[in-house]
Amino acid sequence: MTAIAEKMQLAGYYCVHSGKWHAGSSCEPNLPINRGFNASIGYLGGMEDHYTQVGSGGVDLWQDDGPAYGKNGTYGGYIYTNHTLDAIDNLPTGEALFLYHAWQECHTPNEVPTSYLQANIDFPLRQVYEGMAYFMDVHIATIVERLKAKGLYDQTLIVFSSDNGGREDLQFGGNNYPLRGMKFTDFEGGTRVAAFASGGVIPPHMRGGRVSELMHICDWYATFAYLAGVDPVDHSAAAYHLPPIDSVNLWPTLSNNASSTRTTIVLSMSTVLKRMVACMHVRDHDVMQHATKKMVLSPKAWSFRSTVHGAANLCMCASVCVSEGRRCV
């Protein structure tokens, strides 16, 4: 399967990854550097200690094609922000940049430098969790200001999106209220997340507005490919008789509020007792199909309230930045 960075490379972009990977680590071909990224630093697993970078079984900090020796021991948010800033600073004039910055804030373990803790929050879990959100907010602003300083912002599309709802159990600190459910569930609390698009390429009449059309995170694949002027078809996957990409170009929706061509989103599929169970979202309803039986759930069909003591649902946030220095896309 062809990763989005590989597509962007075909269009002439210099591709940079900073932060979480968690998209394959069992062999060298799975490393970001071998999946389309020209430069990479981050951790390969699902989580790590923010300060020591120790994950499951040892230090999990990789740079390009090997361990990032001597670079652990600093709060990870600083490491990854500096890597992103270096990529912006050292981009040759006129070169195109595709940047994927995957923040570990806000994700367990809940850790943040004390300077980001708000003294007026007396609930410890919320204080730390909101401190991580504050850290992320400050450093996203730092990256945006650097794009502006280098003259790249006006030709840049910035996408911010969480990959799932927050965890509300134990001491994770998430809060998806008023949506039902959390991470690992098919309810909207687990699948409907905070997201926005910004940057100079957003048309002025769309800035500060809201789009309510149906969109799946996989739709960025076809949308980025369209903006970069490259064919979104995954020919490598087709050669192995894999299905075509399930991605829709939604730039007309984002740039002019056109109706989305996406009508359904498959939330999960699993085999239980040799019978297929599929759950999907169809416009304004959730549908669960079990063998030949179908149940439609009203958008208001939920049976419990989420707790409100957690922080905003900015969990496991990822920010994607596409910069085209040669032409406005």
Side-chain angles (χ1 to χ4, degrees):
M1 298 175 66
T2 304
I4 184 60
E6 295 173 271
K7 285 290 187 182
M8 302 305 286
Q9 271 194 344
L10 290 176
Y13 283 76
Y14 185 79
C15 301
V16 177
H17 157 256
S18 304
K20 184 173 180 174
W21 179 239
H22 208 205
S25 59
S26 61
C27 56
E28 288 189 7
N30 289 332
L31 295 175
I33 200 73
N34 296 318
R35 298 304 307 273
F37 288 99
N38 300 91
S40 168
I41 189 169
Y43 57 105
L44 304 182
M47 59 180 285
E48 64 173 5
D49 186 275
H50 288 265
Y51 288 98
T52 65
Q53 285 71 55
V54 172
S56 177
V59 174
D60 184 4
L61 185 63
W62 289 71
Q63 184 166 14
D64 297 337
D65 58 357
Y69 289 113
K71 295 192 175 183
N72 65 306
T74 300
Y75 189 74
Y78 292 124
I79 296 174
Y80 308 134
T81 296
N82 289 336
H83 186 254
T84 291
L85 295 175
D86 287 344
I88 296 172
D89 288 342
N90 297 317
L91 184 70
T93 302
E95 188 75 17
L97 173 67
F98 175 78
L99 172 66
Y100 173 59
H101 191 121
W103 302 87
Q104 188 174 3
E105 296 82 11
C106 302
H107 193 288
T108 52
N110 293 343
E111 298 170 334
V112 71
T114 56
S115 59
Y116 291 89
L117 298 177
Q118 303 298 302
N120 62 331
I121 302 177
D122 57 6
F123 180 49
L125 177 59
R126 179 163 185 164
Q127 185 187 48
V128 175
Y129 200 92
E130 292 199 1
M132 292 193 294
Y134 178 36
F135 180 98
M136 180 174 60
D137 189 43
V138 168
H139 287 79
I140 288 176
T142 299
I143 292 170
V144 171
E145 289 303 315
R146 188 64 58 88
L147 288 170
K148 292 179 177 179
K150 297 292 289 186
L152 298 174
Y153 182 82
D154 289 343
Q155 295 81 42
T156 297
L157 171 65
I158 300 173
V159 175
F160 177 95
S161 178
S162 175
D163 61 351
N164 49 249
R167 287 191 67 172
E168 299 177 344
D169 57 328
L170 303 176
Q171 293 296 308
F172 286 95
N175 175 26
N176 307 305
Y177 183 81
L179 302 179
R180 179 188 185 185
M182 61 177 183
K183 180 181 179 180
F184 306 128
T185 75
D186 293 327
F187 293 108
E188 286 192 323
T191 60
R192 185 175 179 179
V193 301
F196 65 81
S198 184
V201 301
I202 299 293
H205 70 280
M206 292 296 293
R207 297 174 188 175
R210 182 171 183 172
V211 175
S212 299
E213 296 295 317
L214 197 60
M215 182 176 187
H216 191 278
I217 196 169
C218 75
D219 293 330
W220 290 119
Y221 190 98
T223 303
F224 289 165
Y226 168 79
L227 292 173
V230 66
D231 179 12
V233 175
D234 191 343
H235 298 284
S236 297
Y240 288 91
H241 308 291
L242 295 175
I245 63 170
D246 183 24
S247 183
V248 176
N249 171 27
L250 289 182
W251 183 243
T253 301
L254 297 174
S255 62
N256 205 33
N257 210 16
S259 297
S260 170
T261 55
R262 175 173 291 282
T263 58
T264 61
I265 292 177
V266 177
L267 300 177
S268 66
M269 296 187 71
S270 61
T271 302
V272 181
L273 298 178
K274 298 184 179 180
R275 302 179 70 184
M276 185 62 71
V277 177
C279 186
M280 67 182 70
H281 181 82
V282 183
R283 288 296 179 184
D284 296 326
H285 293 84
D286 291 325
V287 180
M288 182 176 291
Q289 186 168 338
H290 186 226
T292 58
K293 298 179 181 179
K294 182 180 293 185
M295 177 175 62
V296 179
L297 304 177
S298 164
K300 296 183 179 179
W302 57 305
S303 60
F304 64 91
R305 294 172 60 89
S306 302
T307 56
V308 296
H309 58 70
N313 55 342
L314 295 174
C315 304
M316 295 178 64
C317 301
S319 174
V320 181
C321 171
V322 181
S323 173
E324 171 55 89
R326 299 169 297 185
R327 64 185 186 277
C328 184
V329 297

